[in-house]
């Protein structure tokens, strides 16, 4: 049975302050936890699972020598932030910083300029995984990778996509990035330009691309719309989806 | 000042049962309410706004003879379902059923097969608006258009996109649809096929396309991924974004 203190400690990891303090984050649900067991089992600190989870994962739990607590569904509800928790919650240690070897002159990636919505960030991580973008770049004010809603929305893709938080100017310099794309109202139709590998800036949900970063955009572009009615817009994750697909189609497919 | 009964009645519209009973739904925030005032002012039943909203909209409120109540930010918090309500909440009457004149042999559209997540539905409505898809089709078990989260996520696009809830077989028959697309693991690469106008089925978030509907798919297709790793997937709104952009690019652009 979980003690009140244990429950409180796990709940505290909903906040970045306590995640940073303990260097731990939460992974929920059978799919994400199973994949973590498969690909990064050494990073798992503890698994809290129901009987159903235990029965289907006993072998791998034993093989990877996990710390495991059998809990009831009611207990899971207490430690989960989800309305319908799915049989398991794992505490995972912060990933060690990997060396960033991604080459922005032979593959495209995104620079997320103050993306604040965890659902958007998680979705973009999943998108990156789909299109083989193994490193994503984020401004330092962007949403925290370890936010439980990011982990949840990424559907396991956080295990395969590296996130680097740094100022845009630094990335451009370190990586000798030539093409810096930004979606702007006065940009050129993406379907009429020949696209190159480089960095695509996705602006903040409410304010778009920061002025500070706008000056680095040397390839302004736009996704053509049916009408030019200015009330229409696409959200950050949708724009990123369409752009990733188009870069992938023309450069990699 | 709002009475307890008024607050209770407005709050009750979060639930479909009470929306259907009163034939009313909630629109929140300056952008969406302003657009509703501009394009469908006759459908508005009542507006509850702060002084800030009143000051910037006095003219149009008077011109369209709206029922308006000036409320405080604290009162707005009581009737709003949002964490940070944005100055105004309007009650709007259900839209009258318009005749569905959309031609699926001269434009593409989506059939949403039990899309349950209101954020996904709202996002897809916004996407449809962007690409000039003026009618969207939904299975009868799909999320309700008038769900406040759908209205919110659509960012005003619900004013311009008609939703028709009906069985797929009915739509195909009524509209003499020739091409029925479905994203399937064994489908053909969308970039290697010549696309036609028709209906693109977007499956349920967890279960994909219903068996009942699968049999109507005569154009199975897939969005190519970088790896064929089966753990990767795209969510419903992302897949819809990429597909809409590709149909638009090849058929309309």
């Amino acid at each position: 049975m979980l003690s009140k203190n244990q429950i409180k400690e796990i709940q505290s990891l909903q906040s970045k302050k306590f995640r940073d303090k303990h260097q731990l984050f939460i992974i929920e649900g059978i799919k994400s936890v199973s994949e973590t067991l498969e690909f990064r089992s050494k990073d798992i600190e503890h698994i809290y699972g129901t009987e159903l989870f235990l029965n289907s994962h006993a072998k791998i739990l034993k093989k990877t020598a996990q710390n495991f607590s059998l809990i009831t569904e009611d207990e899971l509800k207490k430690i989960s932030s989800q309305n319908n928790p799915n049989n398991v919650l794992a505490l995972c240690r912060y990933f060690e910083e990997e060396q960033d070897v991604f080459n922005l002159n032979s593959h495209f990636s995104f620079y997320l300029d103050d993306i604040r919505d965890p659902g958007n960030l998680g979705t973009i991580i999943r998108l990156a995984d789909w299109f083989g973008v193994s490193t994503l770049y984020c401004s330092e004010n962007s949403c925290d990778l370890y936010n439980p809603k990011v982990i949840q929305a990424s559907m396991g893709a956080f295990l395969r996509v590296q996130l680097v938080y740094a100022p845009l100017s630094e990335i451009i310099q370190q990586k000798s990035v030539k093409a810096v794309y930004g979606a702007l109202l006065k940009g050129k139709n993406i379907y009429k330009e020949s696209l190159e590998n480089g960095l695509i800036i996705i602006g903040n949900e409410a304010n778009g691309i920061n002025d500070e970063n706008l000056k680095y955009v040397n390839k302004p572009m736009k996704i053509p719309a049916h009408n030019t009615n200015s009330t229409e817009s696409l959200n950050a994750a949708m724009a990123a989806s369409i752009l990733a697909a188009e870069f992938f189609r023309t450069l990699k497919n």
Side-chain angles (χ1 to χ4, degrees), chain A:
Chain A
M1 218 183 91
L2 294 176
S3 71
K4 275 192 181 167
N5 261 345
Q6 281 178 302
I7 294 174
K8 216 173 138 187
E9 257 197 54
I10 298 170
Q11 286 172 340
S12 79
L13 300 177
Q14 295 296 326
S15 117
K16 183 170 188 332
K17 186 178 143 194
F18 289 98
R19 287 195 296 273
D20 286 349
K21 183 179 158 195
H22 299 291
Q23 298 278 300
L24 287 175
F25 67 102
I26 289 170
I27 303 173
E28 292 207 49
I30 290 182
K31 182 176 181 295
S32 294
V33 174
S34 297
E35 285 192 34
T36 311
L37 269 167
E38 197 175 332
F39 296 112
R40 295 192 87 124
S41 65
K42 63 168 183 39
D43 293 323
I44 299 176
E45 171 89 4
H46 203 102
I47 296 178
Y48 301 89
T50 64
E51 213 168 327
L52 189 147
F53 178 83
L54 178 59
N55 288 341
S56 52
H57 291 75
K59 214 167 148 187
I60 190 165
L61 288 171
K62 202 173 160 191
K63 190 177 144 204
T64 58
Q66 294 298 331
N67 295 315
F68 180 83
S69 301
L70 182 64
I71 59 172
T72 64
E73 292 209 18
D74 279 347
E75 287 178 306
L76 181 61
K77 272 186 188 155
K78 282 183 194 154
I79 56 175
S80 169
S81 64
Q82 298 182 7
N83 294 332
N84 298 302
N86 178 12
N87 289 294
V88 63
L89 182 153
L91 303 188
C92 189
R93 285 181 283 279
Y94 275 23
F95 296 158
E96 273 178 43
E97 258 184 58
E98 298 162 62
Q99 220 198 322
D100 170 19
V101 296
F102 198 70
N103 184 344
L104 286 164
N105 290 308
S106 66
H107 208 306
F108 66 89
S109 182
F110 289 104
Y111 184 81
L112 308 180
D113 190 1
D114 293 4
I115 289 292
R116 296 292 169 85
D117 181 84
N120 278 341
L121 178 55
T123 298
I124 293 172
I125 295 171
R126 195 169 165 189
L127 179 77
D129 189 29
W130 182 271
F131 287 116
V133 177
S134 59
T135 305
L136 275 179
Y137 300 89
C138 309
S139 65
E140 283 154 306
N141 286 328
S142 286
C143 183
D144 177 28
L145 162 64
Y146 297 121
N147 180 315
K149 286 180 188 159
V150 174
I151 297 296
Q152 171 69 8
S154 87
M155 294 290 281
F158 70 94
L159 294 164
R160 292 176 292 272
V161 177
Q162 176 187 21
L163 265 70
V164 173
Y165 288 78
L168 177 62
S169 55
E170 220 169 81
I171 309 291
I172 290 175
Q173 204 184 6
Q174 275 174 17
K175 298 271 162 184
S176 313
V177 181
K178 292 187 199 85
V180 182
Y181 291 88
L184 299 171
L185 283 178
K186 289 187 175 170
K188 291 178 181 169
N189 183 333
I190 49 164
Y191 301 129
K192 308 231 157 128
E193 294 298 299
S194 81
L195 304 176
E196 294 168 45
N197 287 305
L199 211 44
I200 308 162
I201 307 183
I202 301 292
N204 169 271
E205 291 88 348
N207 307 315
I209 299 174
N210 247 302
D211 281 345
E212 183 57 31
N213 290 332
L214 209 51
K215 64 184 184 212
Y216 294 102
V217 174
N218 55 23
K219 305 264 184 188
M221 61 173 171
K222 68 170 175 204
I223 299 168
H226 182 255
N227 297 308
T228 47
N229 186 337
S230 66
T231 58
E232 293 163 16
S233 69
L234 290 169
N235 84 12
M238 290 155 75
S241 301
I242 293 170
L243 294 170
E246 187 56 16
F247 275 77
F248 185 79
R249 180 182 76 82
T250 57
L251 296 171
K252 311 280 166 212
N253 194 41

